[in-house]
Amino acid sequence: MKHLLGICDLSAQEIKTILDHAQMYADGLSSGDYDAQKHKGKIILHLFFENSTRTLTSFEMAAKRLGAEVINWNRETSSLKKGESFMDTIDTLNAMRPDTIVLRHSEYGAPNYIAKRMDCSVINGGDSWREHPTQALLDALTMRQHFGKLDGLTVAIVGDIAHSRVASSNMGLLTKMGANVRVIAPLELMPEKLAAEGVDKFTDLNEGLSGADVVMSIRPQKERMDKVLIHDAAYFNDYGLTHERLAHAKKEAIVLDPGPFIRGLQISDELAEDKTRFLYAPQVANGIPTRMAVLDLLLEG
Ligand code: NCD
């Protein structure tokens, strides 16, 4: 594996290899027994053209937990502001020979474009509504830790399916790994064509939740909408997750959210505070071993 650009490029076996490697790092981080200097001397360049809290910080922690150095390139202080083109910025940074680049960009397929121009590995930290592969991997790791498997799980993805790269990558990964996947959204947020075959569409929340093991909430991505597509109070009323709504899913169902999550729009305060059902904190924590695994596999490759 030279790059990680999307789940669409990975086989089920490759996904399993990454998840096994991530689990090894998850165990190592809790016991303290792993090689914390494995990639000493390596330099990872973070090129984030969009805002990020979880993804950027956990990539940085992952690199540092492996002994690597990180440079967080800053769009605001860069020469892009002086009129340099994106392509020339990329060629300039490539000439400095980083060991890996992590890119987040609003353009569809931007990581594939820069992977062709770079000599080093490129990791997609999220592009447009297309793919966010490390998020889907850490979500899968969280589900696998909780249920011991992915095969046969019923996963209901609720929210802005049309504009979400997290929903796209999760549909791709989970169907490849044998899960039953559904998406639940109002028609305005439901794309005509889904990112994966074999995914069922629901517009009614209670129907879509019925029999689900995992409920994954996806934020309405207002910054990607060119007009008002939802009204907050009506959205919460029809698609907001509460304990009452969750009772339609399996008794032991868990709720995940890639974050940032919006209380009172996507999820009630009570459910957001219920650590037995809403596994957001372990999900965020899994970002680090997952990204350590991806960095390790690419730096070694
Ligand atoms: C998401 C993203 O930016 O794609 N967040 C994340 O990376 N964990 C989802 C979002 O912004 O809603």
Side-chain angles (χ1 to χ4, degrees):
M1 194 164 95
K2 163 108 202 255
H3 307 292
L4 177 62
L5 304 178
I7 296 295
C8 58
D9 305 321
L10 300 178
S11 66
Q13 186 51 51
E14 286 169 320
I15 292 168
K16 183 174 179 303
T17 302
I18 299 172
L19 293 178
D20 290 347
H21 209 56
Q23 186 58 51
M24 181 199 80
Y25 276 121
D27 295 340
L29 286 170
S30 28
S31 65
D33 184 17
Y34 72 99
D35 184 357
Q37 294 302 319
K38 184 155 184 202
H39 293 295
K40 192 170 160 49
K42 296 280 167 47
I43 300 179
I44 320 279
L45 183 55
H46 290 167
L47 284 177
F48 277 58
F49 289 79
E50 279 185 5
N51 294 356
S52 176
T53 297
R54 281 145 286 267
T55 306
L56 180 62
T57 310
S58 67
F59 262 115
E60 182 157 1
M61 288 196 67
K64 291 184 172 174
R65 294 275 186 223
L66 290 168
E69 301 272 347
V70 172
I71 295 176
N72 286 309
W73 172 85
N74 184 331
R75 172 186 47 177
E76 295 308 315
T77 55
S78 77
S79 289
L80 277 176
K81 295 279 164 194
K82 299 181 189 166
E84 186 174 64
S85 73
F86 176 63
M87 188 180 79
D88 288 331
T89 299
I90 293 300
D91 290 348
T92 300
L93 296 170
N94 185 46
M96 298 181 196
R97 298 273 176 269
D99 293 293
T100 299
I101 281 203
V102 184
L103 176 79
R104 169 167 283 196
H105 203 282
S106 59
E107 291 288 324
Y108 187 98
N112 303 63
Y113 171 80
I114 78 152
K116 292 202 187 91
R117 300 190 79 90
M118 300 296 296
D119 297 305
C120 69
S121 297
V122 175
I123 301 174
N124 182 4
D127 69 306
S128 67
W129 65 94
R130 192 189 75 97
E131 281 259 18
H132 192 350
T134 57
Q135 181 67 45
L137 287 161
L138 75 90
D139 295 341
L141 183 68
T142 311
M143 293 179 218
R144 211 177 71 159
Q145 286 169 347
H146 191 82
F147 293 102
K149 60 172 190 178
L150 295 172
D151 186 32
L153 287 183
T154 297
V155 182
I157 309 177
V158 186
D160 189 353
I161 310 303
H163 301 98
S164 169
R165 51 195 174 211
V166 178
S168 303
S169 288
N170 263 292
M171 281 186 259
L173 184 150
L174 291 165
T175 51
K176 281 184 192 187
M177 302 310 278
N180 307 307
V181 186
R182 300 147 175 202
V183 289
I184 311 169
L187 286 175
E188 296 74 27
L189 302 182
M190 181 74 88
E192 245 168 66
K193 191 170 165 3
L194 295 177
E197 302 278 316
V199 174
D200 296 317
K201 290 181 179 177
F202 290 84
T203 49
D204 183 81
L205 179 62
N206 295 351
E207 264 178 47
L209 291 181
S210 169
D213 297 288
V214 180
V215 182
M216 184 180 293
S217 171
I218 299 286
R219 180 179 64 87
Q221 322 253 309
K222 291 185 182 168
E223 70 279 16
R224 299 210 178 98
M225 299 176 191
D226 44 24
K227 57 177 196 252
V228 177
L229 293 179
I230 59 155
H231 295 283
D232 291 5
Y235 182 87
F236 181 69
N237 191 49
D238 294 340
Y239 295 97
L241 296 174
T242 60
H243 280 103
E244 203 189 352
R245 270 355 209 345
L246 194 58
H248 291 271
K250 280 199 185 146
K251 202 162 157 281
E252 313 295 335
I254 58 165
V255 179
L256 300 178
D257 192 307
F261 64 86
I262 313 296
R263 292 169 190 248
L265 176 66
Q266 291 172 259
I267 188 163
S268 68
D269 251 328
E270 295 72 26
L271 187 53
E273 292 303 322
D274 182 350
K275 306 294 179 243
T276 63
R277 308 302 298 275
F278 187 41
L279 300 196
Y280 173 72
Q283 186 185 3
V284 169
N286 275 332
I288 297 166
T290 302
R291 290 170 174 127
M292 287 170 81
V294 169
L295 285 171
D296 189 31
L297 291 167
L298 292 180
L299 287 166
E300 276 189 333

